[in-house]
Amino acid sequence: MARKSEYTSSPHGRPAVFRVHPARRFEGKFPFDEQPKEIGCFSLDADRFFYDDKSQLKWLHMPENVNNVNFNLRDGYKVFRKRDDSVKYYIDELLRWILVNRKKFLLPGQDEVSDGAFPPNLHTDFVCWRGLLTKLLCTPYENKDGWLIAVTKFNGTYYLCEYDTPERIVERENMSERQDEMCYWGHKFEQYMVAAKPDGQPDTCVPVNNYEAFCLVVRRRLKEHSLVFAGKTDCYDAKEKCYVEFKTSREIYQPNQDRNLKRFKLIKWWAQSFLPAVPKVICGFRDDDGVVRRLKTYRTLDMPNIAKHIPNPWDPAVCMNFCDQFLTFVKQVVLKDDPKIVYMFKWYPRQDITWTEHPQDSKFTFLPSWFTNPDQQGNSGIKLETTQQA
């Protein structure tokens, strides 16, 4: 449980704020954390249609010489089919997967689900995207970007959904052509590194489309909290029999660049990969013209040790203890079990976490009626009789 000093009480008995800093308040033993378990997956095609299968899974294709590659990440930018970041998908794809796979949430002895009915509850505390949990893990050390997290309690489960902060919206709307292109580079790098089949070759001639995605669904426990989350996964390594994430980073020329990578990037890479137990990240180091010259593999469990020699290094125990205690805070704040009521949690660097309660059907309501109302499940855009193809 979180220490009492981390909360400031409000007149209505619930904690009003959650103190984040100093980060050392979360130092201590690494919290009890069960090994995550993959419980399913789904695919999103070029038109963002949902499929309860592995059709979008890609396979790792490593170059023979990782120290001598020539990947031009600018190729194809003009024909990039880019997803509209202003369109909010909320957590709809994950909810569709839950509807299709609702039997996976039954307790032992519950062998049947009434046809078309949703189970009384998921026997799960939290449901969200992996990216939201990644932000939470990094919060004690984040000094630039804040976040907004909406929470709704429905049938005993807390559903979490991230919203863009006003600052993020302004940043996106004022993004330069150069910044937009550099965002593309990561997608292009992935295209150089994957094939459609285990023995295939990368196809770098087709336009890049970031609507497509293969997503893992993972169950794990963090102390008293059970979590189910989903996240896009870049590819599968047939040789090592594991999933892999890709990253790009500017080539390191100066000691301060090396420190910045270890301080600001490795923590995010570690958090993103540690959550679903993806064991490695392959980074393409590029020049300022967007050309990758070399690759380096980082083992997820080695990342904290790589970073520990920098001044004031980040501590994975702090990250996990903070996440555990914030989730406890959410449980203490979100009391009303109503899919139309939203509690909005807000945080900015060097500030406390605050929250507000929003009434039914506010602009922040994000659970769709096809998920909460059994009579409208036919509007979900999926066939509920589809079975998981693992």
Side-chain angles (χ1 to χ4, degrees), residues 101-114 117-124 219:
N101 294 276
R102 58 198 187 278
K103 289 186 178 181
K104 293 189 176 184
F105 293 89
L106 299 178
L107 294 175
Q110 287 183 288
D111 297 327
E112 298 292 335
V113 179
S114 300
F118 196 78
N121 62 63
L122 302 182
H123 310 293
T124 301
R219 185 195 303 277

Side-chain angles (χ1 to χ4, degrees), residues 209-225:
N209 181 330
N210 73 338
Y211 282 81
E212 299 173 337
F214 169 76
C215 298
L216 284 181
V217 183
V218 175
R219 185 195 303 277
R220 76 177 301 158
R221 174 170 287 276
L222 175 57
K223 293 188 73 172
E224 301 301 320
H225 313 300

Side-chain angles (χ1 to χ4, degrees), residues 23 51 144 146 157 164 183 204 214 218-219 248 298 317 348-349 368 383 385:
Y51 295 88
K144 180 184 177 183
T157 294
D164 287 336
C183 292
T204 59
F214 169 76
V218 175
R219 185 195 303 277
T248 60
Y298 291 87
Y348 286 96
K383 296 180 178 179
E385 65 271 15

Side-chain angles (χ1 to χ4, degrees), residues 152-306:
T152 288
K153 187 178 182 182
F154 174 54
N155 284 346
T157 294
Y158 302 86
Y159 294 85
L160 281 63
C161 179
E162 184 181 3
Y163 278 76
D164 287 336
T165 62
E167 294 79 8
R168 175 62 186 129
I169 294 173
V170 170
E171 178 183 315
R172 183 178 62 238
E173 292 175 347
N174 292 279
M175 187 176 291
S176 68
E177 181 75 9
R178 170 71 173 179
Q179 290 172 319
D180 190 68
E181 181 180 338
M182 291 179 71
C183 292
Y184 164 78
W185 290 355
H187 302 294
K188 187 65 180 181
F189 175 63
E190 180 179 339
Q191 193 181 59
Y192 277 106
M193 294 294 297
V194 301
K197 298 179 180 179
D199 56 351
Q201 297 289 322
D203 184 355
T204 59
C205 296
V206 298
V208 174
N209 181 330
N210 73 338
Y211 282 81
E212 299 173 337
F214 169 76
C215 298
L216 284 181
V217 183
V218 175
R219 185 195 303 277
R220 76 177 301 158
R221 174 170 287 276
L222 175 57
K223 293 188 73 172
E224 301 301 320
H225 313 300
S226 58
L227 302 94
V228 168
F229 56 89
K232 178 182 179 297
T233 303
D234 291 333
C235 75
Y236 188 80
D237 183 345
K239 292 183 179 180
E240 294 192 12
K241 294 181 171 53
C242 66
Y243 294 104
V244 181
E245 295 288 351
F246 295 127
K247 301 294 178 184
T248 60
S249 188
R250 190 178 181 223
E251 185 58 86
I252 297 172
Y253 302 105
Q254 301 293 335
N256 68 304
Q257 294 174 317
D258 181 62
R259 287 194 299 269
N260 287 341
L261 182 143
K262 293 174 180 176
R263 181 179 305 282
F264 301 114
K265 288 196 172 184
L266 275 191
I267 184 175
K268 295 177 181 178
W269 298 358
W270 168 80
Q272 181 187 40
S273 299
F274 179 78
L275 285 165
V278 173
K280 64 180 180 178
V281 174
I282 299 174
C283 179
F285 284 94
R286 58 161 183 81
D287 59 25
D288 289 338
D289 293 322
V291 178
V292 172
R293 302 294 186 184
R294 69 180 179 99
L295 310 177
K296 183 175 180 178
T297 298
Y298 291 87
R299 296 286 170 178
T300 302
L301 296 182
D302 292 341
M303 291 180 189
N305 289 329
I306 295 173

